[in-house]
Amino acid sequence: MSGYVKTAREMGLVSCTRCTKVWPAGTETCGRCGKKLVSRDRKSLQRVWAWWLVGVMCYIPANLYPMLVTRTLFTTEQSTIIGGAVELLTHGAVGVSLIILFASVAIPVGKFIAIAYLAISVQRRSAASYETRQITYEVVEYIGRWSMIDIFVVAILSSLVQLNTIAAIQPGIASLFFALSVVFTMLSAQSFDTRLIWDVQGAAKGEAGNG
Amino acid sequence: MDARLPPTPRDDPIVCPHCDAVYTLKRPSAGQRAVCARCHTPLITPRKKAGLQIIAVSLAVVVLVIAATVFPFLTIKAAGVQNSVSILDAALAFSDGWLIVLSLSTAALIIFVPLLRVLLSLYVLIPVVLDRMPAKGSRQAFRLAEALRPWSMAEIFAIGCAVALVKITDLADVSFGPAFWMFSALVVLVVAQDSFMCRWSVWKSLEGLRK
């Protein structure tokens, strides 16, 4: 670490989080890109929790309802996310089923936990490693979009496997809930103001310096 | 309307949008990167001839998106029955009832948003590269392009194809249409276009617009 870093707020400045232009504190909108300027987004956590909650709520029906409806010559089969993976497992396709469980269960649940952890750590003014939390945030933000892969797989399968009587795959209602859950989780992560993580460090160092 | 003087921006400091750390601005030379010492967020990432490269790549993307959408994408064969689909078919797979919402958003995420982002960046960058005044509405255009960044999911769709193929190769023969290869090239270009762009430099060049 390169010693004590001054923040814009301490220097009486406010920066635009979109175009990074620097303005004197109290400026309301960025004159370059037009974004509303706030030194710290106080309402950020409210929005994070609101989107987070809707995201979690959508994730429940996404797991209860069928994701895919597979119709073959004699049978019609409805499979949920976990059901489908377990079925693949019993057929011996261990690799694919583990990938599905990882992508559709471990990653979404991990994201919910990570966002909740970040929000709570900021609310409690935790001094847990700032770098780790910043990286956690970046990973969550980066991975968030990739959960849509499930929806795209369903889209490809159900448009491609339309072979008259032999086999046909239809999307189930869970795909809609899953997509909504991904979108809401992305919005939740985007609402988080990461500067709040680092403020505690500034405060702690400031006290150490004074006392 | 407002009698107060507009606030004057500060040009010498640069502030990290993620952790609010302040640094004295020193433009890195082409190929180098300025990175926040505290949270490691890249701040300025200039490249030689980046503008020209981005424009070239963008034009290629526009052509490829249109072609990849129309031509057949994947063909499936099983027991004498054959089915070819285009990307548009895949996007529109969710056709009944509520799932139509999902169809429209899938089409948007994999075709229209990437296309729109490319067109917007062409609109913004062409005058800048030609050393002209930025086009009218450039800032709004670049703002929109940046806001849409997380929602452009062409590369995720491409990986989704790979997963879907693994799932059905046991069931049926799958072969690639011309659009599959166009789409693969497209994904590489979209990612390249994104990594060439230095946001700080673009905003800087749009500064001369007002006044």
Side-chain angles (χ1 to χ4, degrees):
Chain A
M1 284 295 295
S2 56
Y4 181 51
V5 181
K6 273 234 173 235
T7 65
R9 186 164 63 167
E10 288 163 346
M11 294 178 69
L13 300 169
V14 57
S15 84
C16 174
T17 47
R18 179 159 58 202
C19 75
T20 69
K21 189 83 189 161
V22 185
W23 301 90
T27 312
E28 278 169 14
T29 45
C30 174
R32 180 157 77 172
C33 75
K35 192 180 166 77
K36 266 214 161 64
L37 297 175
V38 275
S39 181
R40 292 297 176 274
D41 193 348
R42 291 279 156 222
K43 287 188 190 129
S44 147
L45 288 175
Q46 283 181 32
R47 272 181 285 128
V48 169
W49 282 119
W51 289 125
W52 184 88
L53 196 64
V54 199
V56 173
M57 275 159 56
C58 286
Y59 188 66
I60 297 167
N63 275 288
L64 295 179
Y65 289 106
M67 189 84 164
L68 282 176
V69 181
T70 313
R71 196 168 46 73
T72 53
L73 267 182
F74 308 106
T75 56
T76 302
E77 210 184 307
Q78 303 203 330
S79 53
T80 57
I81 296 173
I82 296 178
V86 170
E87 195 193 331
L88 278 171
L89 200 66
T90 54
H91 280 83
V94 182
V96 181
S97 85
L98 285 182
I99 290 175
I100 295 173
L101 282 178
F102 182 70
S104 322
V105 181
I107 288 186
V109 173
K111 270 188 307 186
F112 292 136
I113 295 173
I115 295 174
Y117 162 69
L118 288 174
I120 292 171
S121 81
V122 165
Q123 278 165 338
R124 294 198 170 167
R125 308 192 58 76
S126 153
S129 167
Y130 311 102
E131 282 95 347
T132 317
R133 281 189 283 157
Q134 179 73 34
I135 291 168
T136 310
Y137 176 76
E138 272 160 30
V139 169
V140 167
E141 223 203 358
Y142 180 79
I143 282 188
R145 315 157 58 233
W146 284 89
S147 294
M148 279 304 270
I149 201 167
D150 285 275
I151 301 304
F152 295 153
V153 169
V154 172
I156 295 163
L157 287 179
S158 47
S159 64
L160 192 60
V161 185
Q162 293 296 341
L163 301 166
N164 297 330
T165 50
I166 302 167
I169 295 181
Q170 305 290 342
I173 190 77
S175 51
L176 179 62
F177 286 111
F178 194 90
L180 286 175
S181 172
V182 174
V183 168
F184 291 139
T185 317
M186 280 172 71
L187 290 171
S188 172
Q190 282 174 19
S191 313
F192 190 74
D193 187 349
T194 48
R195 292 175 298 189
L196 295 169
I197 295 177
W198 297 89
D199 278 348
V200 184
Q201 183 186 27
K205 292 222 172 144
E207 277 163 27
N210 293 335
Chain B
M1 211 169 74
D2 198 333
R4 282 181 303 172
L5 280 171
T8 21
R10 305 296 169 80
D11 281 327
D12 42 320
I14 180 166
V15 175
C16 172
H18 282 166
C19 76
D20 215 32
V22 181
Y23 303 98
T24 319
L25 176 62
K26 196 175 145 223
R27 290 181 86 147
S29 47
Q32 287 182 319
R33 288 148 56 92
V35 177
C36 174
R38 184 156 79 156
C39 74
H40 313 297
T41 304
L43 301 174
I44 312 179
T45 56
R47 284 174 57 97
K48 255 191 193 146
K49 297 191 177 154
L52 217 58
Q53 284 171 343
I54 294 171
I55 289 173
V57 171
S58 301
L59 289 173
V61 168
V62 174
V63 175
L64 281 174
V65 167
I66 294 166
T69 312
V70 189
F71 284 107
F73 182 59
L74 290 168
T75 304
I76 185 174
K77 266 187 222 148
V81 188
Q82 186 178 333
N83 184 30
S84 296
V85 290
S86 68
I87 292 180
L88 211 55
D89 292 328
L92 299 177
F94 308 99
S95 50
D96 36 278
W98 277 102
L99 291 177
I100 196 122
V101 183
L102 204 50
S103 256
L104 295 177
S105 25
T106 310
L109 294 174
I110 61 183
I111 305 165
F112 299 115
V113 171
L115 189 62
L116 180 62
R117 281 201 67 214
V118 165
L119 292 175
L120 288 171
S121 45
L122 279 175
Y123 182 77
V124 173
L125 288 179
I126 288 179
V128 170
V129 169
L130 295 177
D131 270 333
R132 302 270 167 80
M133 274 292 282
K136 214 176 155 195
S138 277
R139 284 189 279 202
Q140 284 84 346
F142 193 59
R143 232 151 73 180
L144 183 60
E146 285 297 284
L148 287 176
R149 186 141 64 114
W151 306 102
S152 159
M153 300 191 176
E155 72 272 25
I156 300 172
F157 182 77
I159 305 293
C161 285
V163 175
L165 288 183
V166 171
K167 276 185 152 180
I168 49 173
T169 37
D170 302 342
L171 268 172
D173 279 339
V174 183
S175 53
F176 306 125
F180 182 84
W181 305 110
M182 291 183 200
F183 203 74
S184 313
L186 183 68
V187 168
V188 176
L189 291 180
V190 169
V191 173
Q193 195 227 17
D194 231 36
S195 64
F196 287 168
M197 186 161 335
C198 171
R199 269 111 205 144
W200 186 87
S201 310
V202 175
W203 279 118
K204 185 92 191 150
S205 60
L206 293 182
E207 230 163 40
L209 197 55
R210 210 175 280 173
K211 279 178 243 171

